[in-house]
Each structure stands twice: as C-alpha cells, then as structure tokens.
Amino acid sequence: KGVFMPQDEYPVSAVDICTMIAHGLGKKIYKSFILGLIVRLLNFIPLFKKAYGGIEYDIRLSHIEGMNYAIVPSEEAIIRTIK
C-alpha cells in the first residue's frame, strides 16, 4: 500500500536511451557535438529549459527496504523490450 516510484539505478539521458535502442536494433547512431553544445547553451533560457529540460525525481524515493526495482540494467531492459 502506498506510492511507488520505480526507476533505474541511475538517471539515464535521452541520448543514452537512443544509443541503447540503436544498439539493440543493430543500427548506428550519429551524435552532433555542435547541436549538443547549442542545446546546453540554450538551456539557460527558462522557456527552453522547461520545454527541453530533463525531468527526474530523487533516487532516494525509490529506496524501500526489502524491495529492489532495478532487476536488470537499463540497457538490458531496453534490448529485451525491442526484441
């Protein structure tokens, strides 16, 4: 009984998730350093941060004695999902 907040053992970025999906599908992914730099610079603008910023909650909210949500690592979970 209560509110449960399952999550991975550590925060995973959208870029990491896309990379894991591409790896699971056997595809190559290309990342743009310049585009990433622009996003980081624009992240100081409040409206941009609200639209494209990350959302996460404190990892301590998922630590409940006797329970382990993270049964498999993030990459393995994504690969299991897409296969």
Side-chain angles (χ1 to χ4, degrees):
K1 203 171 190 184
V3 177
F4 297 96
M5 299 183 177
Q7 58 184 326
D8 293 316
E9 292 179 78
Y10 57 90
V12 183
S13 71
V15 173
D16 292 339
I17 292 172
C18 290
T19 303
M20 290 179 214
I21 292 170
H23 176 73
L25 294 172
K27 304 286 182 178
K28 195 166 190 162
I29 189 166
Y30 299 96
K31 301 173 197 169
S32 171
F33 173 77
I34 295 171
L35 184 58
L37 183 62
I38 292 169
V39 169
R40 278 191 293 263
L41 291 173
L42 290 175
N43 206 24
F44 292 106
I45 300 171
L47 182 60
F48 187 86
K49 187 173 185 173
K50 187 173 185 175
Y52 297 102
I55 299 173
E56 61 184 61
Y57 48 88
D58 193 344
I59 192 77
R60 293 176 292 178
L61 293 172
S62 293
H63 290 294
I64 299 173
E65 194 172 323
M67 297 185 83
N68 181 15
Y69 287 115
I71 298 169
V72 296
S74 302
E75 186 168 4
E76 185 179 338
I78 288 174
I79 290 172
R80 286 184 185 184
T81 302
I82 60 177
K83 288 190 176 187

